[in-house]
Amino acid sequence: MTAERLLEGPQAHLGDPGQPSGVVRLGGPLLYARLVEAVERGSVDVAVYATEAAATEGVSVGGLPLTWHAVPGWEPPTAPAPVPLVAIEDPCAIRRRAIATLAEHGVPASVVGDAGYLAGVLDIARTGQGVALLAAVGPAPDGLSPYSGLPPVPPIRMSALARPGADPATVEAAFSAVRDLLRP
């Protein structure tokens, strides 16, 4: 593994699967707890995960910046109608963050479309059915653009965990690559 290639599991939010991002996806999403268990068992060298989504505390590697995205020209319905959200199925830290942020600002919201994977969320959002909260890492996914008409959302703290006995140079390269990716 080099700093240019990072093995990644459930962090489906890190980018559009159709865009090269330097992140290699390992199958479908795993529950964060299972990913951490895989590191502890030694079957995965390094895991990167949303700190709030796992019971195991790893090394802080930064905050995942979040931005609302919708099709160009999208506008939410007039209040009091709820803002239509598109999100990954629960449990999802970013979904919870979207709903909580809007609630804190008194903005009613309703999940109108959810999917098990980021690709499904992007497909639904590209139809114009709603707005999606996505990681602001790299360019906007094809067919979507940042939407600034909703309250800003604070980054999600990210942690990394290395397998006991993993090669220190590999661990440092992985942690450094994630920190570089998440650096504002």
Side-chain angles (χ1 to χ4, degrees), residues 29-57:
L30 299 171
L31 293 175
Y32 291 102
R34 292 188 59 205
L35 183 61
V36 170
E37 288 172 7
V39 170
E40 291 169 348
R41 275 194 320 271
S43 57
V44 172
D45 287 338
V46 175
V48 177
Y49 53 93
T51 306
E52 66 192 58
T56 301
E57 194 169 322

Side-chain angles (χ1 to χ4, degrees), residues 9 13 21-22 24-25 28 45 89 98 108 119 123 136-137 148 158 162 171 183:
H13 294 283
S21 66
V24 178
R25 286 186 170 59
D45 287 338
E89 296 168 349
D123 288 344
V137 177
S148 61
M158 301 297 290
V171 170
R183 187 170 290 125

Side-chain angles (χ1 to χ4, degrees), residues 22 35 39 61 65 90 93 95 104 137 141 164 181:
L35 183 61
V39 170
V61 289
D90 248 346
R95 175 191 181 115
E104 288 167 9
V137 177
L181 179 69

Side-chain angles (χ1 to χ4, degrees), residues 1-3 5-6 46 48 169-179:
M1 180 189 324
T2 68
R5 288 178 53 92
L6 172 67
V46 175
V48 177
T170 299
V171 170
E172 183 49 40
F175 285 19
S176 179
V178 173
R179 285 185 185 108

Side-chain angles (χ1 to χ4, degrees), residues 5 14 55 75 77 80 84 94 111 142 150 162:
R5 288 178 53 92
L14 286 178
E75 290 294 328
I94 293 177
V111 177
D142 289 340
L150 293 172

